Amino acid sequence: DSGVTQTPKHLITATGQRVTLRCSPRSGDLSVYWYQQSLDQGLQFLIQYYNGEERAKGNILERFSAQQFPDLHSELNLSSLELGDSALYFCASSVAPLSGRLYNEQFFGPGTRLTVL
Amino acid sequence: GNSVTQMEGPVTLSEEAFLTINCTYTATGYPSLFWYVQYPGEGLQLLLKATKADDKGSNKGFEATYRKETTSFHLEKGSVQVSDSAVYFCALSDIQGGSEKLVFGKGTKLTVNP
């Protein structure tokens, strides 16, 4: 158990709908990352938040957005869903963004499997 | 941009066989390198890491050496077990503007038969 929790575990919805995925980081971790794992694209970084502020953006579609709340949990909002959005969405957390250290280990949650029908 | 290429799977081995999963990378600078493992139905777990050239990461019998000359980080294990069946991802850290994201390879599915 990594200490990162994600809900729901599975989500089935229809095209055009909107869903919200939730992530609670490990206790004490200030940084949250979202990744998408799909068969054709593999594992891709979407977005990172640190202590409530957006820190970095990756291949995140404009239909997707995220935020990190004062209690440090994060939500990923996916709207106008398309069949191709079906994927496993992972959240990861780390202590802080890089600050003079060689790396910060990211701890991954179990993921939310989204199926768009 | 930075990228990781790892051997396509699936890989099927018998118990106690030798495992190699190849991984090469393209990066500016000297990223940290990682192997993550994903067991069925679970999230990713860090298996091992190396933060500079010639470093050897090791854990649970797995090893990988950071080779700058060949830009490689191949995963090896001398004797695999059924419990090693999982998907293995090679990754590098992409550091920009104080932020650190992971860039992953496509993953290699390993099945170990008794």
Side-chain angles (χ1 to χ4, degrees), chain A residues 23-42:
Chain A
C23 167
S24 293
R26 290 187 323 154
S27 176
D29 283 359
L30 299 177
S31 204
V32 169
Y33 307 76
W34 286 98
Y35 292 86
Q36 179 194 57
Q37 184 180 27
S38 61
L39 282 174
D40 51 345
Q41 300 288 331

Side-chain angles (χ1 to χ4, degrees), chain A residues 36-39 83-89 112-116:
Chain A
Q36 179 194 57
Q37 184 180 27
S38 61
L39 282 174
L83 295 177
D85 298 327
S86 295
L88 196 49
Y89 291 84
T112 293
R113 182 170 294 283
L114 173 67
T115 303
V116 182

